[in-house]
Amino acid sequence: MIGMLIAAACVLPLIVIAALTESSGYAFHAMLGVLASVVSIVLIANRCFDGTVPVEPQEVDGKPNYNMGPVKFATVASMVWGIAGFAVGLIIALQLAFPDLNFDLPWINFGRLRPLHTSAVIFAFGGNVLIGTSFYVVQRTCRARLAGILSPWFVVLGYNFFIVIAGTGYLLGITQAKEYAEPEWYADLWLTIVWVVYLLVFLGTVMKRREPHIYVANWFYLGFILTIAVLHIGNNVAVPVSLLSPRSYGLWSGVQDAMFQWWYGHNAVGFFLTAGFLAIMYYFVPKRAERPIYSYRLSIIHFWALIFIYIWAGPHHLHYTALPDWAQTLGMTFSIMLWMPSWGGMINGIMTLSGAWDRLRTDPVLRMMVVSLAFYGMATFEGPLMSIKAVNGLSHYTDWTIGHVHAGALGWVAYISFGAIYCLVPWLWNRKGLYSLKLVSWHFWISTLGIVFYICAMWVSGILQGLMWRAYTALGFLEYSFIETVAAMHPFYVIRALGGALFLIGALIMAFNLWMTVRSESAAEMPRVDEAPAPLAVAA
């Protein structure tokens, strides 16, 4: 009832903003808010007054009554957003190779589609995977229903509403132009509210657990949720021009703004794209392999070492800038130190297959997860290497960085996400298994070939860029003009687009496979057994 009143209270102010603002994009977002408020009122009213019991029982026949509705929604949303994000990535890759594909249209030019692509794959695809898997894992490992009645639904629906606001904002030119933090103040404010509720739901579920032990995956999820909240608020502190304007003035400026941005930017990678997905690894790899974690003690060391070291690594993005030299060196030092906990986690995940290596021949889902760990190890070796000033002087601002980012994003984040979704769909819809393991194999090999094309092209083009930019003639002049370096990149950009196309084809194969799995009538004969998570046992 309170939620319905809050939604009703938002309608009139949003209509006033839409009527009085001079920004058409801001007016559009205000009307989207009105629509979302009205839909919320209808849905909550229907639940409150439909004559059913509004409070779901915590247990049924002595077993936890899990709330899997939000998990199903987030799983479906992750695939929808993922395919959309991969498709936009392919478009902008083609635009770099063939600039005429910008069509001189402001809404689809590279400058607007590029942040749409990054936000779609990181926050829309990756964020929904993290929310969905965290809600699933915390219930199973705690043997407790999600805390709250409407709160879990508010988190998944509210988060996806933020994605819609952010994505349409980019196309309409509404951005504060911060890497991985482009949405303006009102979208940031809404995300803060959603994220606080997310934290409360997760913590509330852990607090009412029926298991005394907190499984390590939940520590990684909790570290990800808490740290992203602090990063988001710190980097996005801003004063709006007015309530009728989408624009704002950031609290930080100059080198302080750069420091905050890359403290946020690198730790968005560290905690959103690493800690959260390591939580997925620590649950789904043992579960799929049907083996215990290789070393539970190592997983705890991995967690504490990672979160204490990662937070200091951001300054390595600002080598040779106005940032004080000691801060640059500090970021480089901690980046190199990150090599140890990162590889410790990778080894822990891979060695979990001890005694089950033969399953890699017959289970392409497990194969995808193990390859994701290999990419994680490769990316976490390359990252510290590129943070060294001498190497960074060659690599920074080049396509080498793009190749490094996509080795981690496609090989690590996307593959571990695909593996988790392949596991979740049959479990959530109570099916005996996936529609076709052969299609999973096709997905694996096609997308792996795409990743290899992509990152190899970017490695070669990036190193070529760096060498051309620092080449001098005997008289001390630059040997190559900027346009000559751009022209030299063309064949590599074509290869990158080919790699992106293959990766998108793999995702479409996956979507078809999952759709057919859900449509299948081969329901599992018995529900999955609830097991108490133990340090040396496979998670429930």
Side-chain angles (χ1 to χ4, degrees):
M1 185 67 72
I2 295 176
M4 187 167 60
L5 293 175
I6 294 174
C10 294
V11 172
L12 183 58
L14 289 171
I15 292 175
V16 171
I17 290 173
L20 298 180
T21 182
E22 296 180 356
S23 168
S24 59
Y26 191 35
F28 173 69
H29 284 167
M31 292 311 298
L32 283 180
V34 171
L35 178 61
S37 299
V38 171
V39 170
S40 300
I41 293 169
V42 172
L43 292 177
I44 297 172
N46 182 63
R47 179 181 177 85
C48 291
F49 303 114
D50 64 355
T52 61
V53 179
V55 180
E56 298 288 346
Q58 296 295 305
E59 294 183 357
V60 175
D61 297 329
K63 294 183 178 180
N65 181 27
Y66 298 128
N67 182 6
M68 292 302 176
V71 181
K72 287 184 176 181
F73 183 93
T75 302
V76 174
S78 66
M79 282 308 303
V80 172
W81 288 121
I83 290 173
F86 304 151
V88 174
L90 175 58
I91 292 170
I92 61 176
L94 289 169
Q95 286 179 338
L96 284 175
F98 308 101
D100 288 341
L101 293 178
N102 285 268
F103 297 114
D104 291 328
L105 296 174
W107 309 283
I108 61 168
N109 68 25
F110 181 88
R112 294 190 183 184
L113 288 185
R114 191 265 178 182
L116 180 66
H117 163 65
T118 56
S119 291
V121 293
I122 295 173
F123 299 115
F125 169 67
N128 274 287
V129 169
L130 289 171
I131 291 173
T133 57
S134 66
F135 279 173
Y136 182 88
V137 171
V138 75
Q139 290 185 90
R140 301 292 303 193
T141 56
C142 294
R143 298 190 65 192
R145 183 180 175 85
L146 278 177
I149 301 171
L150 296 178
S151 301
W153 280 108
F154 173 79
V155 172
V156 294
L157 294 175
Y159 184 79
N160 280 278
F161 181 68
F162 161 76
I163 295 298
V164 172
I165 292 294
T168 55
Y170 303 153
L171 297 179
L172 295 169
I174 299 176
T175 172
Q176 62 174 346
K178 288 189 173 185
E179 183 75 349
Y180 308 135
E182 286 92 348
E184 269 288 1
W185 64 271
Y186 57 95
D188 288 334
L189 185 59
W190 173 251
L191 179 60
T192 302
I193 296 169
V194 171
W195 209 258
V196 169
V197 177
Y198 180 25
L199 173 62
L200 294 176
V201 170
F202 193 89
L203 274 178
T205 307
V206 171
M207 290 174 66
K208 67 175 186 176
R209 68 188 184 278
R210 295 178 58 195
E211 294 291 336
H213 179 77
I214 301 177
Y215 188 64
V216 66
N218 292 323
W219 285 106
F220 276 93
Y221 279 127
L222 191 57
F224 137 70
I225 297 170
L226 278 171
T227 309
I228 290 300
V230 175
L231 295 170
H232 172 73
I233 294 172
N235 189 49
N236 291 292
V237 178
V239 179
V241 172
S242 79
L243 293 177
L244 299 178
S245 171
R247 306 301 178 187
S248 62
Y249 294 103
L251 186 63
W252 321 114
S253 62
V255 71
Q256 289 80 15
D257 186 45
M259 183 66 238
F260 263 97
Q261 165 57 35
W262 285 109
W263 169 71
Y264 165 90
H266 191 75
N267 288 296
V269 174
F271 289 87
F272 199 97
L273 297 177
T274 301
F277 290 93
L278 285 169
I280 295 174
M281 180 271 284
Y282 273 115
Y283 181 88
F284 287 92
V285 170
K287 194 64 187 175
R288 190 74 186 187
E290 297 180 336
R291 301 288 300 170
I293 282 290
Y294 175 69
S295 171
Y296 199 79
R297 180 175 296 175
L298 179 57
S299 71
I300 300 300
I301 297 173
H302 178 205
F303 171 74
W304 289 109
L306 192 81
I307 66 168
F308 274 115
I309 296 175
Y310 225 122
I311 204 74
W312 299 97
H316 75 229
H317 287 266
L318 298 169
H319 285 330
Y320 306 108
T321 67
L323 190 73
D325 189 66
W326 67 265
Q328 299 178 35
T329 303
L330 182 73
M332 178 184 72
T333 303
F334 276 90
S335 299
I336 296 171
M337 291 168 62
L338 268 174
W339 194 349
M340 294 178 285
S342 298
W343 274 41
M346 175 200 66
I347 292 169
N348 206 8
I350 291 178
M351 291 302 294
T352 298
L353 270 73
S354 296
W357 289 106
D358 59 298
R359 296 195 57 179
L360 293 179
R361 293 185 293 106
T362 58
D363 188 351
V365 175
L366 189 60
R367 189 188 310 146
M368 185 171 282
M369 291 180 174
V370 171
V371 170
S372 79
L373 288 168
F375 273 108
Y376 174 61
M378 181 179 70
T380 53
F381 170 81
E382 188 180 30
L385 175 69
M386 295 172 70
S387 74
I388 299 171
K389 286 187 176 182
V391 179
N392 195 268
L394 173 68
S395 70
H396 206 37
Y397 306 118
T398 72
D399 289 335
W400 185 357
T401 303
I402 309 302
H404 164 65
V405 168
H406 283 79
L410 301 180
W412 158 237
V413 172
Y415 265 18
I416 197 68
S417 299
F418 291 157
I421 294 171
Y422 274 131
C423 291
L424 275 178
V425 169
W427 296 346
L428 293 172
W429 276 271
N430 196 31
R431 298 294 183 262
K432 289 182 180 179
L434 289 165
Y435 171 72
S436 171
L437 285 179
K438 184 173 291 187
L439 285 178
V440 180
S441 289
W442 275 101
H443 175 201
F444 171 79
W445 289 111
I446 290 173
S447 56
T448 299
L449 185 62
I451 295 173
V452 171
F453 278 157
Y454 193 114
I455 62 178
C456 289
M458 291 298 94
W459 283 338
V460 175
S461 69
I463 295 172
L464 179 61
Q465 272 180 327
L467 293 175
M468 291 180 74
W469 289 348
R470 58 168 46 177
Y472 293 90
T473 65
L475 297 176
F477 297 106
L478 287 174
E479 187 168 353
Y480 301 100
S481 67
F482 180 75
I483 194 62
E484 287 177 304
T485 67
V486 173
M489 297 303 106
H490 183 263
F492 304 107
Y493 287 174
V494 173
I495 296 172
R496 169 170 67 176
L498 173 61
L502 291 172
F503 196 84
L504 175 60
I505 291 170
L508 291 171
I509 293 172
M510 178 183 182
F512 172 76
N513 198 4
L514 296 178
W515 171 252
M516 295 303 294
T517 300
V518 172
R519 289 191 61 189
S520 172
E521 296 181 357
S522 59
E525 295 178 2
M526 296 181 64
R528 296 176 64 239
V529 178
D530 287 307
E531 302 168 358
L536 297 179
V538 179

